[in-house]
Amino acid sequence: MTRCEQKPISDRCCDKAGSRIKPVPINDGIYTCPMHPAVRQVGAGECPVCGMALEPEKISRVAAPDAEMISMRWRFWFAAIFSMPLVFWDAVEALYPLVSDYKNVAQFALATPVVLWGAWPFFVRAARSVLNHSLNMFTLIGLGVGTAYGYSSIVAWFPQWFGDIGPAVYFESACVITALVLLGQVLELKARAKTGDALRALFDMAPKIARIVRDDGSEEDIPVTDVMVCDLLRVRPGEKLPVDGIIIEGSSFIDESMLTGESMPVEKRCGDKVSGATVNGGGGLLIRAERVGDETMMAQIVAMVAAAQRSKAPIQRVADIVAGYFVPTVIAVAALTAACWWIWGPEPKLAFALLNSIAVLIIACPCALGLATPMSIMVGAGRAAREGILVKDAAALEKFEKIDTLVIDKTGTLTEGKPHLVELLPLEGFEKNGLLRLVGSLERGSEHPLAAAIVRGVSEQRLGLITAVDVQAFPGMGVKGCVNGNEVLVGNATLLRTNNVPAEALEKMAEPFRADGQTVVFIAVNNKPAGIAAVADSVKDTTADAILELRNDGLRLVMLTGDNAATAFAISRQLGIEEFEAEMLPADKVDVIKKLQHQGRKVAVAGDGINDAPALAVADVGIAMGNGTDIAMESAGITLVKGDLMGLVRARRLSHEVMRNIKQNLFFAFVYNIIGVPVAAGVLYPEFGILLSPIIASAAMSFSSVSVIANALRLGRIKLR
């Protein structure tokens, strides 16, 4: 095996003190609300808006005990056990006749621990909602349980206040409501925990041990957590790569299915980037660590998915607005219900007024409404990650469903983005190898795929590179710098003309190459045209199928490229893309996108380079190729890890399914309350004699939440291929 033409082993990346670099974790100890992402604080607690327990913003690599889950589970079983004698009170009286003489007091003794301990979190959250002027589901639960228990306690201890009427007590309702609400909380917490478990499973794919190669050539196994930037690591055949890095020795086929969702291994050679947790095939590798800890691709995927799950889709604003008016309205309806039954109801009026108002409070708890959007987003974002699709936030997923125009970059998006140097033709007065050496030296520091192709061409010719100085990059045009005392320009005709270099002769030389769909780079030395470099970049195998499916989905396709018109025409003809613009600068792409938006189009942009970042940022939805630059991925709302447009097809289908799921959940939650509240208030009693007891109302409320959760979890099983 040979070591590739990259940095030598001794050229280690160090800080100023000469020690290895280890990233500092961020966001440790920050907690946020899954339903209200704007709520963030240091340390655990409860959301002041909805009362839900806050969740850690950073997903732990090891599953820690869920304190709220444990607490709610214990409270549920406690409430269930103590509620049983109340539910079957007739059987208790038959077995223990003496309790009949102290019926109300005995029920009080059983109910008090359930209400004061089991339901205590609900009372705390209800009180906090009042103090924060943010009424929520716990306000209604606290009122319902508290009213039933408080009234029953007065009857139990002060029966003389009611004369000979002997009104009934409702300890049974208070306890069973508490148990059912606790059961709903446990089921909801379990569903939310599944999303964290899915992300944690990604961490489990990463190896725990790495084999470091020391400066003296010795090798040693160390924990992956001890690996630092620029450490040299040996990866043997069949092993998982411990961290993200660059191959400096060897070649192999890498299984990247855990990142991209694709099962076919990808060939990797010297100089190629590799990601942690992927599996090395049959060749031994020596890699230099580039990203470790929370900076690895796997960690960033987990962080991005977690952030997307915490984000709020614009459609959630509908639920928030409704909930803001809903709880006060329900309290008013409950009060009106009590008044109507007290005034016009049959005897015992007090019992009817109390039970029906409590039923209204309980059945109207807006937990299903609050869960409708967050649960779908949490499950959908997790499913997207398994398909190699990273969604930055819920808004991107919602907007993508409404997209009608897709603007696509060419190089690295439609094409492989790994072009190779076909030919370098010098003009008279310039020697081929000498010109190639100048161009390769200048392009060595560039991330552009064309630059990489030229550098590889220089490496294959075994030409030594020279250090370039005063290097300036011009996005969309090329690069300029000084190499060995010569001012060198490498780029398109616009770059040459901007620097007062005539390009006519080079344009004529480029025509036959462009006709074959190759990209031509112009070269000038010391303000004189020097030659051209022809670079070929093949179209990705899946691009044609993806373009066809996207067009069949009703999308208008537009290709924007910085390449020349002839090359752009050849690629567009090959793929059947009717609209394209060539020789586009970054600002030109932005102008085209804004023009489309002014026409009322909803525009998504797919690109991978630095020159695509402005377009990605201004688009309604930016889509970055995972094989592109970091700035492109930062500017995008969706990242396709594999850099394959078929991932875009799957993302489109997923966005449709997630939005359909959210609308189903919201419809169910709204209809449930529209039907449930009037029934609980007793509108069916005069005609049909039907009443809804608080216990049935509580069971219905819990069932509605579980139904929304179950519907959201379906997203984890839908087919996207």
Side-chain angles (χ1 to χ4, degrees):
M1 289 183 289
T2 59
R3 185 162 291 121
C4 59
E5 290 287 336
Q6 300 290 328
K7 294 181 181 179
I9 289 183
S10 60
D11 186 10
R12 306 292 292 276
C13 307
C14 301
D15 59 15
K16 293 180 180 179
S19 58
R20 297 178 299 163
I21 303 169
K22 190 169 186 176
V24 179
I26 58 174
N27 285 347
D28 284 342
I30 302 296
Y31 284 71
T32 188
C33 175
M35 295 188 189
H36 299 89
V39 176
R40 299 176 73 245
Q41 70 176 42
V42 178
E46 293 159 359
C47 176
V49 180
C50 66
M52 297 298 298
L54 302 181
E55 296 182 348
E57 195 168 85
K58 180 181 176 183
I59 298 295
S60 171
R61 292 173 183 256
V62 180
D66 187 333
E68 187 186 19
M69 170 77 80
I70 295 171
S71 172
M72 290 296 179
R73 188 185 290 122
W74 276 108
R75 292 176 195 272
F76 163 70
W77 285 113
F78 183 86
I81 292 170
F82 273 71
S83 297
M84 286 298 177
L86 297 173
V87 174
F88 301 102
W89 187 254
D90 290 342
V92 172
E93 286 186 303
L95 291 172
Y96 305 99
L98 288 177
V99 303
S100 298
D101 298 333
Y102 306 96
K103 175 180 178 179
N104 291 350
V105 174
Q107 290 191 28
F108 172 83
L110 288 169
T112 297
V114 174
V115 174
L116 296 188
W117 185 70
W120 182 252
F122 306 149
F123 292 130
V124 171
R125 295 174 185 182
R128 187 175 290 124
S129 74
V130 174
L131 293 174
N132 291 329
H133 305 288
S134 180
L135 305 183
N136 53 48
M137 59 176 282
F138 294 106
T139 315
L140 303 182
I141 294 172
L143 277 174
V145 174
T147 301
Y149 174 77
Y151 168 78
S152 301
S153 299
I154 294 173
V155 171
W157 289 104
F158 304 100
Q160 65 274 17
W161 291 4
F162 301 90
D164 297 330
I165 299 176
V169 293
Y170 304 103
F171 291 118
E172 174 193 1
S173 296
C175 291
V176 175
I177 289 171
T178 298
L180 289 172
V181 174
L182 286 168
L183 176 61
Q185 291 290 295
V186 170
L187 293 175
E188 180 185 325
L189 288 168
K190 280 186 175 181
R192 283 162 50 188
K194 284 184 179 180
T195 61
D197 292 341
L199 296 181
R200 223 169 267 116
L202 294 176
F203 277 132
D204 292 340
M205 294 180 180
K208 305 297 186 291
I209 300 296
R211 189 165 189 82
I212 189 171
V213 179
R214 304 290 186 187
D215 289 337
D216 60 3
S218 63
E219 299 183 7
E220 177 186 359
D221 289 337
I222 63 172
V224 169
T225 52
D226 291 344
V227 175
M228 297 186 186
V229 176
C230 288
D231 279 346
L232 299 180
L233 305 173
R234 181 77 63 189
V235 185
R236 290 163 288 198
E239 291 184 337
K240 291 183 177 181
L241 279 74
V243 297
D244 294 2
I246 293 179
I247 299 175
I248 64 171
E249 185 176 280
S251 62
S252 183
F253 283 86
I254 305 296
D255 179 0
E256 298 182 330
S257 58
M258 67 286 301
L259 294 180
T260 65
E262 297 295 333
S263 58
M264 289 298 295
V266 180
E267 185 178 9
K268 298 287 185 178
R269 300 178 178 275
C270 283
D272 288 342
K273 294 181 179 180
V274 289
S275 299
T278 56
V279 181
N280 181 25
L285 300 175
L286 183 66
I287 69 170
R288 182 174 63 246
E290 294 287 315
R291 294 179 176 178
V292 302
D294 291 341
E295 299 298 319
T296 63
M297 173 69 80
M298 180 66 75
Q300 288 180 359
I301 288 175
V302 172
M304 186 177 290
V305 174
Q309 291 177 339
R310 293 192 304 269
S311 64
K312 183 183 293 189
I315 197 172
Q316 175 69 21
R317 288 198 294 268
V318 176
D320 290 344
I321 292 171
V322 171
Y325 294 100
F326 184 75
V327 176
T329 302
V330 168
I331 294 174
V333 171
L336 181 62
T337 299
C340 290
W341 282 96
W342 177 262
I343 297 171
W344 294 294
E347 294 293 343
K349 292 185 176 183
L350 181 60
F352 279 116
L354 185 68
L355 287 177
N356 287 307
S357 60
I358 291 174
V360 169
L361 290 171
I362 297 302
I363 201 169
C365 286
C367 44
L369 189 62
L371 288 169
T373 299
M375 283 304 304
S376 297
I377 293 298
M378 292 169 75
V379 178
R383 176 60 194 278
R386 297 204 305 271
E387 295 288 336
I389 304 163
L390 303 185
V391 182
K392 180 177 287 186
D393 54 39
L397 202 58
E398 179 176 339
K399 290 178 182 176
F400 193 42
E401 190 246 357
K402 302 174 183 176
I403 291 299
D404 56 27
T405 303
L406 177 62
V407 173
I408 318 174
D409 176 49
K410 180 180 73 70
T411 305
T413 304
L414 296 174
T415 62
E416 291 287 353
K418 292 184 178 179
H420 59 279
L421 182 63
V422 176
E423 183 64 89
L424 186 140
L425 294 179
L427 287 176
E428 187 177 349
F430 293 91
E431 188 266 329
K432 181 175 181 178
N433 285 346
L435 186 60
L436 181 59
R437 188 183 185 197
L438 290 178
V439 174
S441 299
L442 180 60
E443 293 279 33
R444 178 166 53 172
S446 174
E447 290 184 320
H448 197 283
L450 298 180
I454 294 173
V455 173
R456 281 195 296 271
V458 175
S459 177
E460 291 168 1
Q461 296 294 327
R462 299 187 179 278
L463 301 174
L465 297 179
I466 308 166
T467 301
V469 297
D470 298 329
V471 178
Q472 294 177 272
F474 301 91
M477 292 192 290
V479 66
K480 173 183 178 180
C482 187
V483 181
N484 199 26
N486 298 293
E487 185 179 273
V488 182
L489 295 173
V490 180
N492 57 22
T494 304
L495 178 66
L496 267 63
R497 294 191 182 104
T498 302
N499 288 270
N500 299 316
V501 178
E504 289 75 12
L506 301 183
E507 291 273 16
K508 188 173 182 179
M509 291 175 63
E511 287 178 3
F513 296 100
R514 288 172 172 173
D516 290 337
Q518 298 176 11
T519 299
V520 178
V521 177
F522 293 171
I523 307 164
V525 178
N526 297 325
N527 293 322
K528 294 181 180 180
I532 62 170
V535 177
D537 187 11
S538 58
V539 173
K540 295 176 182 176
D541 294 337
T542 57
T543 295
D545 291 338
I547 291 294
L548 180 61
E549 292 207 35
L550 291 169
R551 185 186 293 110
N552 291 339
D553 195 32
L555 287 179
R556 173 184 175 184
L557 303 179
V558 181
M559 183 180 76
L560 301 183
T561 177
D563 217 332
N564 63 85
T567 303
F569 175 75
I571 295 295
S572 64
R573 181 179 55 188
Q574 180 181 345
L575 296 174
I577 299 175
E578 297 178 359
E579 296 183 63
F580 69 90
E581 295 283 347
E583 299 181 10
M584 302 290 288
L585 298 176
D588 298 329
K589 293 184 178 182
V590 170
D591 290 340
V592 171
I593 293 163
K594 288 182 176 179
K595 182 179 179 181
L596 290 168
Q597 290 172 329
H598 287 198
Q599 295 172 358
R601 313 291 298 192
K602 300 295 183 182
V603 184
V605 175
D608 72 322
I610 292 175
N611 60 320
D612 297 316
L616 294 172
V618 79
D620 294 289
V621 177
I623 303 156
M625 302 294 113
N627 55 350
T629 61
D630 290 342
I631 189 171
M633 287 185 276
E634 285 294 324
S635 303
I638 296 174
T639 298
L640 307 179
V641 175
K642 189 185 177 185
D644 183 345
L645 282 185
M646 284 305 296
L648 189 56
V649 175
R650 294 194 289 272
R652 176 81 167 173
R653 290 175 182 167
L654 181 66
S655 69
H656 284 305
E657 292 295 336
V658 169
M659 293 312 301
R660 182 183 295 116
N661 195 270
I662 289 174
K663 291 170 184 175
Q664 290 169 349
N665 286 345
L666 289 174
F667 174 80
F668 182 81
F670 281 127
V671 170
Y672 162 80
N673 281 291
I674 290 171
I675 296 174
V677 171
V679 173
V683 296
L684 298 180
Y685 183 78
E687 187 71 26
F688 304 101
I690 297 175
L691 284 177
L692 202 62
S693 76
I695 292 175
I696 300 300
S698 179
M701 182 269 292
S702 297
F703 174 76
S704 70
S705 298
V706 172
S707 299
V708 166
I709 292 171
N711 189 47
L713 291 176
R714 288 191 311 106
L715 290 171
R717 301 187 298 273
I718 59 173
K719 293 183 178 180
L720 299 178
R721 299 170 188 247

